[in-house]
Amino acid sequence: MKLVRCLTAEQTTTAIDLLATALPELSKGRIKDAMAKGAVLLNSKPKKRLRRAQTKLQPGQKLDIHYDDVLLQRQCDNAELLHDMKGYSIWFKPAGMLSQGNEWGDHLALLRAVELHFQHKRQVFLLHRLDREASGIVILAHSKKMAAAFSNMIARHEIDKFYQIAVRGQLTLELQQQAKINLPLDGKVCETQFTDVIYEPELNQSKLQVKLISGRKHQIRRHFAEVGHPVMGDPMYGSNNKDGNGLALQAVGVDFICPQSKQKQSIRLPEQLKHISV
């Protein structure tokens, strides 16, 4: 079942009573589950997730519910804390987990997982995103000051991000010698560099290390699809690249100067979390 409703309280009531009355097709148990998973928003400025069923609503207050029982029943592996510097932390995001939630919920979102891990004792700011289908390293800040510091570093290209991917086919010698793809995306200049290309003829796949010089949406996936070597398991770009193991793209490393200690940080994904061997 999938539905979207905007409800207005006509009188003082509770959130669960308003929702249960307006949505008789949903049991109170299913409504409470949807609330706990972030699928109910208090339509205020700014909107915020409403999780407590007994929250009092005043006349005129509005609730938005985006209910999809398929999405609400989805599960994925847990996120893992790799490095904690108090002011920021570095996490492994598994495939199938969003970087942040949306109107349909946040129970499978890294931001929510980190909030729960720290028992809401830290603020959590997302600094960059990793596609839901991809897995790997994500940096999160825990104060506005640290979020601003990292945002400035990202804008100045002072954070190096490294990926491992597997693509369809064998890269031409010319492309390997170029060791980069710099096709414009969305009318903007961008560049993807790569090294350590290994061709596996039995799979007709090439595995390689990638370094992003810019950060356009789906840049790695779009660039390699454009040159005829789509990332394996990519559901959006390329053809003849299906893979039952999922998207063969992992964020495996970050290098930067720590804004707290001023020392170089070089974080790599532990071997046991890697699913692409290069």
Side-chain angles (χ1 to χ4, degrees):
M1 181 187 300
K2 185 175 182 178
L3 59 84
V4 177
R5 299 282 177 82
C6 180
L7 310 174
T8 303
E10 302 296 337
Q11 59 188 14
T12 301
T13 185
T14 62
I16 188 64
D17 286 341
L18 175 62
L19 290 161
T21 300
L23 304 170
E25 62 268 49
L26 296 180
S27 68
K28 284 190 174 181
R30 293 174 78 179
I31 293 172
K32 289 180 179 178
D33 180 63
M35 295 184 75
K37 292 177 177 177
V40 176
L41 300 176
L42 182 62
N43 199 333
S44 54
K45 292 186 178 181
K47 290 186 178 183
K48 61 181 181 180
R49 300 189 195 276
L50 193 63
R51 303 186 195 273
R52 291 184 61 253
Q54 297 301 322
T55 297
K56 290 286 186 181
L57 299 176
Q58 300 303 317
Q61 286 191 290
K62 299 178 184 294
L63 294 183
D64 293 339
I65 179 170
H66 290 72
Y67 184 92
D68 186 331
D69 51 9
V70 174
L71 292 179
L72 293 173
Q73 291 170 24
R74 278 185 183 171
Q75 297 181 350
C76 69
D77 293 336
N78 294 326
E80 294 190 30
L81 178 61
L82 301 178
H83 192 67
D84 188 4
M85 290 293 288
K86 307 304 180 183
Y88 65 93
S89 56
I90 298 176
W91 290 77
F92 168 71
K93 184 196 81 66
M97 177 176 279
L98 297 166
S99 293
Q100 64 182 135
N102 54 32
E103 66 270 24
W104 296 96
D106 65 350
H107 70 295
L108 293 182
L110 179 62
L111 278 186
R112 177 63 174 164
V114 174
E115 288 174 350
L116 293 175
H117 176 86
F118 290 121
Q119 301 178 338
H120 300 281
K121 294 178 181 178
R122 297 191 196 181
Q123 294 177 292
V124 182
F125 297 92
L126 186 68
L127 302 168
H128 59 105
R129 291 172 174 79
L130 195 58
D131 299 339
R132 182 181 69 83
E133 302 93 345
S135 63
I137 290 174
V138 177
I139 307 171
L140 298 170
H142 299 303
S143 69
K144 290 183 178 179
K145 179 180 179 181
M146 197 56 56
F150 271 100
S151 294
N152 289 333
M153 291 164 63
I154 291 171
R156 295 193 297 264
H157 304 289
E158 294 175 352
I159 300 179
D160 290 331
K161 301 176 187 176
F162 303 94
Y163 302 80
Q164 287 182 351
I165 66 173
V167 302
R168 191 197 70 207
Q170 183 175 18
L171 277 62
T172 64
L173 180 59
E174 180 183 4
L175 183 57
Q176 291 190 52
Q177 290 174 340
Q178 289 175 355
K180 63 182 178 182
I181 303 170
N182 52 16
L183 298 172
L185 294 175
D186 305 320
K188 297 179 179 178
V189 175
C190 54
E191 183 174 311
T192 302
Q193 297 180 355
F194 59 90
T195 59
D196 302 329
V197 180
I198 299 175
Y199 178 61
E200 298 184 345
E202 68 278 9
L203 298 174
N204 190 31
Q205 294 178 17
S206 295
K207 296 181 178 180
L208 51 154
Q209 303 268 11
V210 173
K211 179 181 177 182
L212 276 184
I213 304 304
S214 49
R216 308 300 176 202
K217 184 176 181 180
H218 298 167
Q219 179 175 318
I220 295 174
R221 298 162 65 177
R222 294 167 71 186
H223 261 172
F224 279 92
E226 284 286 334
V227 298
H229 299 285
V231 176
M232 296 304 301
D234 192 334
M236 295 182 66
Y237 304 102
S239 59
N240 301 317
N241 59 326
K242 291 184 178 180
D243 192 323
N245 294 320
L247 183 69
L249 186 156
Q250 265 195 319
V252 297
V254 287
D255 288 349
F256 58 90
I257 301 300
C258 173
Q260 295 178 169
S261 68
K262 310 304 179 185
Q263 300 297 311
K264 183 176 180 178
Q265 291 276 21
S266 186
I267 308 298
R268 294 296 180 266
L269 196 63
E271 288 298 322
Q272 66 269 22
L273 294 176
K274 292 182 180 179
H275 72 265
I276 305 170
S277 58
V278 179

